[in-house]
Amino acid sequence: MDYINAFWVGGLICALVQILMEKTKMMPGRIMVLLVCTGAVLGAVGIYEPFQEYAGAGASVPLLGFGNVLWKGIKEAVDADGFIGIFKGGFTSSAVGVSAALVFAYIASLIFQPKMKK
């Protein structure tokens, strides 16, 4: 049942984003920022944690999950270090994910030898 919940919640998030892209004049970059900010706000309000427990990877993998990770990192860093935690919390909480994305993108570029578009 966990797989089914992850699948339909992740699919619903993707479908809503696709509708935003098709029916509004919002650029993809702005939609991505909207998703990250929404994840952070839902985490701050306390809604995201039960949502993530129900949906699993369907909620944690999309950009909503990244916003929530940033929020959790900043909250923990502010509790531990005070004001300076606002600036370092997001970096420490998301460092592994960002580093993995860079490493895997580099490996993919070596394997597939991308070319510039003409």
Side-chain angles (χ1 to χ4, degrees), residues 58-111:
S60 63
V61 173
L63 285 172
L64 290 171
F66 183 67
N68 187 48
V69 166
L70 290 176
W71 162 252
K72 281 201 257 184
I74 291 170
K75 183 180 177 208
E76 291 171 6
V78 167
D79 291 343
D81 302 325
F83 182 73
I84 196 70
I86 294 171
F87 302 104
K88 76 176 203 174
F91 291 116
T92 56
S93 67
S94 64
V96 173
V98 172
S99 298
L102 290 172
V103 168
F104 291 130
Y106 180 70
I107 292 170
S109 73
L110 292 176
I111 293 171

Short mmCIF file of all heavy atoms in Angstrom, two decimals, residues 58-111:
data_model
loop_
_atom_site.label_atom_id
_atom_site.label_comp_id
_atom_site.label_asym_id
_atom_site.label_seq_id
_atom_site.Cartn_x
_atom_site.Cartn_y
_atom_site.Cartn_z
N GLY A 58 6.39 9.68 -2.48
CA GLY A 58 5.55 10.52 -3.33
C GLY A 58 5.52 11.95 -2.85
O GLY A 58 5.23 12.86 -3.62
N ALA A 59 5.83 12.18 -1.57
CA ALA A 59 5.87 13.53 -1.03
C ALA A 59 7.29 14.02 -0.79
O ALA A 59 7.55 15.22 -0.85
CB ALA A 59 5.10 13.59 0.29
N SER A 60 8.22 13.12 -0.55
CA SER A 60 9.57 13.56 -0.20
C SER A 60 10.46 13.78 -1.42
O SER A 60 11.42 14.55 -1.35
CB SER A 60 10.23 12.56 0.75
OG SER A 60 10.38 11.31 0.12
N VAL A 61 10.17 13.14 -2.54
CA VAL A 61 11.03 13.26 -3.71
C VAL A 61 10.79 14.54 -4.51
O VAL A 61 11.73 15.18 -4.94
CB VAL A 61 10.93 11.99 -4.60
CG1 VAL A 61 11.68 12.17 -5.89
CG2 VAL A 61 11.47 10.79 -3.84
N PRO A 62 9.55 14.97 -4.73
CA PRO A 62 9.35 16.20 -5.50
C PRO A 62 9.93 17.42 -4.78
O PRO A 62 10.38 17.34 -3.64
CB PRO A 62 7.83 16.33 -5.61
CG PRO A 62 7.30 14.97 -5.36
CD PRO A 62 8.27 14.33 -4.42
N LEU A 63 9.89 18.54 -5.43
CA LEU A 63 10.47 19.77 -4.87
C LEU A 63 9.80 20.21 -3.58
O LEU A 63 10.40 20.94 -2.80
CB LEU A 63 10.41 20.89 -5.90
CG LEU A 63 11.44 20.77 -7.01
CD1 LEU A 63 11.19 21.80 -8.09
CD2 LEU A 63 12.83 20.88 -6.49
N LEU A 64 8.59 19.77 -3.33
CA LEU A 64 7.97 20.05 -2.04
C LEU A 64 8.83 19.48 -0.91
O LEU A 64 9.00 20.11 0.13
CB LEU A 64 6.57 19.43 -1.96
CG LEU A 64 5.47 20.04 -2.81
CD1 LEU A 64 4.24 19.15 -2.77
CD2 LEU A 64 5.15 21.42 -2.34
N GLY A 65 9.36 18.30 -1.10
CA GLY A 65 10.21 17.66 -0.11
C GLY A 65 11.50 18.42 0.11
O GLY A 65 12.01 18.50 1.23
N PHE A 66 12.05 19.00 -0.94
CA PHE A 66 13.28 19.79 -0.82
C PHE A 66 13.02 21.03 0.04
O PHE A 66 13.84 21.38 0.89
CB PHE A 66 13.80 20.18 -2.20
CG PHE A 66 15.11 20.92 -2.15
CD1 PHE A 66 16.26 20.30 -1.73
CD2 PHE A 66 15.17 22.25 -2.52
CE1 PHE A 66 17.46 20.98 -1.69
CE2 PHE A 66 16.36 22.95 -2.49
CZ PHE A 66 17.52 22.30 -2.07
N GLY A 67 11.89 21.67 -0.17
CA GLY A 67 11.54 22.83 0.66
C GLY A 67 11.39 22.45 2.11
O GLY A 67 11.82 23.18 3.01
N ASN A 68 10.80 21.29 2.36
CA ASN A 68 10.64 20.83 3.73
C ASN A 68 11.99 20.51 4.37
O ASN A 68 12.22 20.80 5.54
CB ASN A 68 9.72 19.61 3.77
CG ASN A 68 9.39 19.19 5.17
OD1 ASN A 68 9.03 20.01 6.00
ND2 ASN A 68 9.51 17.92 5.44
N VAL A 69 12.90 19.91 3.61
CA VAL A 69 14.25 19.62 4.12
C VAL A 69 14.96 20.91 4.48
O VAL A 69 15.61 21.00 5.53
CB VAL A 69 15.05 18.80 3.09
CG1 VAL A 69 16.52 18.78 3.42
CG2 VAL A 69 14.52 17.39 3.00
N LEU A 70 14.85 21.92 3.63
CA LEU A 70 15.46 23.21 3.94
C LEU A 70 14.87 23.79 5.22
O LEU A 70 15.60 24.29 6.09
CB LEU A 70 15.26 24.19 2.79
CG LEU A 70 16.02 23.90 1.50
CD1 LEU A 70 15.63 24.90 0.43
CD2 LEU A 70 17.51 23.94 1.74
N TRP A 71 13.55 23.73 5.37
CA TRP A 71 12.90 24.26 6.56
C TRP A 71 13.38 23.53 7.82
O TRP A 71 13.70 24.16 8.82
CB TRP A 71 11.39 24.16 6.44
CG TRP A 71 10.71 24.27 7.77
CD1 TRP A 71 10.09 23.29 8.46
CD2 TRP A 71 10.64 25.44 8.59
NE1 TRP A 71 9.63 23.76 9.64
CE2 TRP A 71 9.96 25.09 9.76
CE3 TRP A 71 11.09 26.74 8.45
CZ2 TRP A 71 9.71 25.99 10.77
CZ3 TRP A 71 10.84 27.65 9.47
CH2 TRP A 71 10.16 27.27 10.62
N LYS A 72 13.42 22.20 7.76
CA LYS A 72 13.86 21.44 8.94
C LYS A 72 15.29 21.77 9.31
O LYS A 72 15.61 21.92 10.49
CB LYS A 72 13.73 19.94 8.67
CG LYS A 72 12.34 19.41 8.82
CD LYS A 72 12.37 17.91 9.07
CE LYS A 72 12.01 17.14 7.85
NZ LYS A 72 11.93 15.71 8.02
N GLY A 73 16.16 21.89 8.31
CA GLY A 73 17.56 22.22 8.58
C GLY A 73 17.71 23.59 9.21
O GLY A 73 18.49 23.78 10.15
N ILE A 74 16.98 24.56 8.70
CA ILE A 74 17.07 25.91 9.25
C ILE A 74 16.52 25.93 10.67
O ILE A 74 17.11 26.56 11.56
CB ILE A 74 16.33 26.91 8.34
CG1 ILE A 74 17.09 27.08 7.03
CG2 ILE A 74 16.14 28.25 9.03
CD1 ILE A 74 16.37 27.85 5.96
N LYS A 75 15.42 25.25 10.90
CA LYS A 75 14.83 25.21 12.25
C LYS A 75 15.80 24.60 13.25
O LYS A 75 16.00 25.14 14.34
CB LYS A 75 13.52 24.43 12.21
CG LYS A 75 12.81 24.40 13.53
CD LYS A 75 11.52 23.62 13.44
CE LYS A 75 10.88 23.55 14.81
NZ LYS A 75 10.07 22.38 14.99
N GLU A 76 16.40 23.48 12.90
CA GLU A 76 17.36 22.83 13.79
C GLU A 76 18.58 23.70 14.03
O GLU A 76 19.08 23.79 15.16
CB GLU A 76 17.78 21.48 13.22
CG GLU A 76 16.69 20.44 13.23
CD GLU A 76 17.06 19.18 12.48
OE1 GLU A 76 18.22 19.05 12.02
OE2 GLU A 76 16.18 18.30 12.33
N ALA A 77 19.09 24.35 12.99
CA ALA A 77 20.27 25.19 13.14
C ALA A 77 19.98 26.43 13.97
O ALA A 77 20.82 26.87 14.76
CB ALA A 77 20.81 25.58 11.76
N VAL A 78 18.80 27.00 13.82
CA VAL A 78 18.44 28.16 14.64
C VAL A 78 18.30 27.76 16.10
O VAL A 78 18.74 28.48 17.00
CB VAL A 78 17.14 28.82 14.11
CG1 VAL A 78 16.57 29.81 15.11
CG2 VAL A 78 17.40 29.52 12.79
N ASP A 79 17.72 26.59 16.35
CA ASP A 79 17.61 26.11 17.73
C ASP A 79 18.98 25.87 18.35
O ASP A 79 19.19 26.12 19.54
CB ASP A 79 16.79 24.82 17.79
CG ASP A 79 15.31 25.05 17.48
OD1 ASP A 79 14.87 26.22 17.53
OD2 ASP A 79 14.61 24.06 17.16
N ALA A 80 19.94 25.39 17.55
CA ALA A 80 21.26 25.07 18.07
C ALA A 80 22.20 26.27 18.10
O ALA A 80 22.95 26.46 19.07
CB ALA A 80 21.90 23.96 17.23
N ASP A 81 22.18 27.10 17.05
CA ASP A 81 23.19 28.16 16.91
C ASP A 81 22.63 29.57 16.95
O ASP A 81 23.40 30.53 16.82
CB ASP A 81 23.94 27.97 15.58
CG ASP A 81 24.61 26.61 15.49
OD1 ASP A 81 25.07 26.11 16.52
OD2 ASP A 81 24.66 26.06 14.37
N GLY A 82 21.35 29.73 17.04
CA GLY A 82 20.77 31.07 17.06
C GLY A 82 20.63 31.67 15.68
O GLY A 82 20.39 30.95 14.69
N PHE A 83 20.81 32.96 15.59
CA PHE A 83 20.57 33.70 14.35
C PHE A 83 21.39 33.19 13.17
O PHE A 83 20.91 33.15 12.04
CB PHE A 83 20.84 35.19 14.59
CG PHE A 83 20.57 36.04 13.40
CD1 PHE A 83 19.27 36.32 12.99
CD2 PHE A 83 21.62 36.57 12.65
CE1 PHE A 83 19.02 37.11 11.89
CE2 PHE A 83 21.37 37.35 11.54
CZ PHE A 83 20.08 37.63 11.15
N ILE A 84 22.63 32.81 13.40
CA ILE A 84 23.49 32.35 12.30
C ILE A 84 22.94 31.08 11.66
O ILE A 84 23.23 30.77 10.50
CB ILE A 84 24.95 32.14 12.79
CG1 ILE A 84 25.92 32.05 11.61
CG2 ILE A 84 25.08 30.93 13.65
CD1 ILE A 84 26.14 33.33 10.89
N GLY A 85 22.10 30.34 12.37
CA GLY A 85 21.50 29.12 11.84
C GLY A 85 20.60 29.38 10.65
O GLY A 85 20.38 28.50 9.83
N ILE A 86 20.06 30.61 10.54
CA ILE A 86 19.25 30.96 9.38
C ILE A 86 20.05 30.80 8.10
O ILE A 86 19.54 30.36 7.07
CB ILE A 86 18.72 32.41 9.49
CG1 ILE A 86 17.74 32.51 10.66
CG2 ILE A 86 18.06 32.87 8.21
CD1 ILE A 86 17.34 33.93 10.98
N PHE A 87 21.34 31.12 8.17
CA PHE A 87 22.17 31.11 6.97
C PHE A 87 22.82 29.76 6.70
O PHE A 87 23.05 29.41 5.55
CB PHE A 87 23.25 32.19 7.10
CG PHE A 87 22.68 33.56 7.29
CD1 PHE A 87 22.70 34.16 8.53
CD2 PHE A 87 22.06 34.22 6.24
CE1 PHE A 87 22.14 35.42 8.72
CE2 PHE A 87 21.49 35.47 6.41
CZ PHE A 87 21.54 36.07 7.66
N LYS A 88 23.09 28.98 7.73
CA LYS A 88 23.81 27.73 7.49
C LYS A 88 22.92 26.48 7.54
O LYS A 88 23.30 25.44 7.04
CB LYS A 88 24.97 27.58 8.46
CG LYS A 88 24.62 27.21 9.86
CD LYS A 88 25.88 27.02 10.68
CE LYS A 88 25.59 26.14 11.86
NZ LYS A 88 26.77 25.81 12.61
N GLY A 89 21.74 26.58 8.11
CA GLY A 89 20.89 25.41 8.28
C GLY A 89 20.46 24.76 6.98
O GLY A 89 20.47 23.53 6.85
N GLY A 90 20.06 25.56 6.00
CA GLY A 90 19.64 25.02 4.72
C GLY A 90 20.76 24.33 3.97
O GLY A 90 20.55 23.31 3.31
N PHE A 91 21.97 24.88 4.09
CA PHE A 91 23.11 24.28 3.40
C PHE A 91 23.47 22.93 3.99
O PHE A 91 23.73 21.98 3.26
CB PHE A 91 24.33 25.21 3.46
CG PHE A 91 24.18 26.45 2.64
CD1 PHE A 91 24.15 27.69 3.25
CD2 PHE A 91 24.05 26.38 1.27
CE1 PHE A 91 24.01 28.84 2.50
CE2 PHE A 91 23.90 27.52 0.51
CZ PHE A 91 23.89 28.76 1.12
N THR A 92 23.48 22.85 5.31
CA THR A 92 23.88 21.58 5.94
C THR A 92 22.83 20.50 5.74
O THR A 92 23.17 19.33 5.59
CB THR A 92 24.17 21.78 7.43
OG1 THR A 92 23.03 22.36 8.06
CG2 THR A 92 25.37 22.67 7.65
N SER A 93 21.56 20.88 5.73
CA SER A 93 20.52 19.86 5.60
C SER A 93 20.38 19.33 4.18
O SER A 93 19.97 18.20 3.97
CB SER A 93 19.17 20.40 6.08
OG SER A 93 18.71 21.42 5.23
N SER A 94 20.71 20.14 3.19
CA SER A 94 20.52 19.71 1.81
C SER A 94 21.83 19.39 1.10
O SER A 94 21.81 19.09 -0.09
CB SER A 94 19.78 20.81 1.03
OG SER A 94 20.56 21.98 0.97
N ALA A 95 22.94 19.42 1.81
CA ALA A 95 24.24 19.23 1.17
C ALA A 95 24.38 17.88 0.50
O ALA A 95 24.91 17.78 -0.62
CB ALA A 95 25.36 19.43 2.20
N VAL A 96 23.90 16.83 1.13
CA VAL A 96 24.05 15.48 0.56
C VAL A 96 23.26 15.36 -0.74
O VAL A 96 23.77 14.85 -1.75
CB VAL A 96 23.61 14.41 1.58
CG1 VAL A 96 23.59 13.03 0.93
CG2 VAL A 96 24.52 14.42 2.78
N GLY A 97 22.03 15.85 -0.75
CA GLY A 97 21.20 15.76 -1.95
C GLY A 97 21.76 16.57 -3.11
O GLY A 97 21.79 16.10 -4.25
N VAL A 98 22.22 17.77 -2.82
CA VAL A 98 22.78 18.63 -3.86
C VAL A 98 24.09 18.03 -4.38
O VAL A 98 24.34 18.00 -5.59
CB VAL A 98 22.98 20.06 -3.34
CG1 VAL A 98 23.73 20.91 -4.33
CG2 VAL A 98 21.64 20.69 -3.01
N SER A 99 24.92 17.53 -3.48
CA SER A 99 26.18 16.91 -3.90
C SER A 99 25.94 15.68 -4.76
O SER A 99 26.61 15.48 -5.77
CB SER A 99 27.01 16.51 -2.67
OG SER A 99 27.34 17.64 -1.92
N ALA A 100 24.97 14.86 -4.38
CA ALA A 100 24.65 13.67 -5.17
C ALA A 100 24.16 14.07 -6.56
O ALA A 100 24.54 13.44 -7.56
CB ALA A 100 23.60 12.83 -4.46
N ALA A 101 23.33 15.10 -6.64
CA ALA A 101 22.84 15.55 -7.95
C ALA A 101 24.00 16.01 -8.83
O ALA A 101 24.04 15.69 -10.03
CB ALA A 101 21.83 16.68 -7.76
N LEU A 102 24.96 16.72 -8.26
CA LEU A 102 26.11 17.18 -9.05
C LEU A 102 26.97 16.00 -9.51
O LEU A 102 27.40 15.95 -10.67
CB LEU A 102 26.95 18.15 -8.23
CG LEU A 102 26.31 19.51 -7.96
CD1 LEU A 102 27.14 20.31 -6.98
CD2 LEU A 102 26.15 20.28 -9.26
N VAL A 103 27.24 15.06 -8.62
CA VAL A 103 28.08 13.91 -8.97
C VAL A 103 27.41 13.07 -10.04
O VAL A 103 28.04 12.70 -11.05
CB VAL A 103 28.40 13.07 -7.71
CG1 VAL A 103 29.02 11.74 -8.08
CG2 VAL A 103 29.31 13.85 -6.78
N PHE A 104 26.13 12.76 -9.88
CA PHE A 104 25.44 11.92 -10.86
C PHE A 104 25.28 12.64 -12.19
O PHE A 104 25.34 12.01 -13.26
CB PHE A 104 24.10 11.45 -10.33
CG PHE A 104 24.23 10.46 -9.20
CD1 PHE A 104 23.52 10.64 -8.03
CD2 PHE A 104 25.07 9.37 -9.30
CE1 PHE A 104 23.64 9.74 -6.98
CE2 PHE A 104 25.20 8.46 -8.27
CZ PHE A 104 24.49 8.64 -7.10
N ALA A 105 25.09 13.95 -12.17
CA ALA A 105 25.00 14.71 -13.43
C ALA A 105 26.34 14.68 -14.16
O ALA A 105 26.39 14.55 -15.39
CB ALA A 105 24.57 16.14 -13.15
N TYR A 106 27.43 14.79 -13.40
CA TYR A 106 28.75 14.73 -14.02
C TYR A 106 29.01 13.36 -14.62
O TYR A 106 29.51 13.24 -15.75
CB TYR A 106 29.83 15.08 -12.98
CG TYR A 106 31.22 15.03 -13.55
CD1 TYR A 106 31.65 15.99 -14.46
CD2 TYR A 106 32.09 14.01 -13.22
CE1 TYR A 106 32.92 15.94 -14.99
CE2 TYR A 106 33.36 13.94 -13.74
CZ TYR A 106 33.77 14.91 -14.63
OH TYR A 106 35.02 14.85 -15.16
N ILE A 107 28.66 12.31 -13.90
CA ILE A 107 28.84 10.94 -14.42
C ILE A 107 28.00 10.73 -15.69
O ILE A 107 28.47 10.17 -16.68
CB ILE A 107 28.50 9.90 -13.34
CG1 ILE A 107 29.54 9.95 -12.23
CG2 ILE A 107 28.40 8.50 -13.93
CD1 ILE A 107 29.19 9.14 -11.00
N ALA A 108 26.77 11.23 -15.67
CA ALA A 108 25.91 11.11 -16.85
C ALA A 108 26.51 11.86 -18.03
O ALA A 108 26.43 11.40 -19.18
CB ALA A 108 24.51 11.62 -16.54
N SER A 109 27.12 13.02 -17.77
CA SER A 109 27.72 13.78 -18.87
C SER A 109 28.93 13.06 -19.45
O SER A 109 29.23 13.19 -20.63
CB SER A 109 28.12 15.18 -18.40
OG SER A 109 29.25 15.15 -17.56
N LEU A 110 29.63 12.30 -18.62
CA LEU A 110 30.76 11.53 -19.14
C LEU A 110 30.29 10.35 -19.98
O LEU A 110 30.90 10.01 -20.98
CB LEU A 110 31.62 11.01 -17.99
CG LEU A 110 32.38 12.07 -17.19
CD1 LEU A 110 33.10 11.42 -16.01
CD2 LEU A 110 33.35 12.82 -18.07
N ILE A 111 29.21 9.72 -19.57
CA ILE A 111 28.71 8.55 -20.28
C ILE A 111 28.06 8.94 -21.61
O ILE A 111 28.32 8.31 -22.64
CB ILE A 111 27.67 7.79 -19.41
CG1 ILE A 111 28.39 7.20 -18.19
CG2 ILE A 111 26.96 6.71 -20.19
CD1 ILE A 111 27.45 6.63 -17.15
#
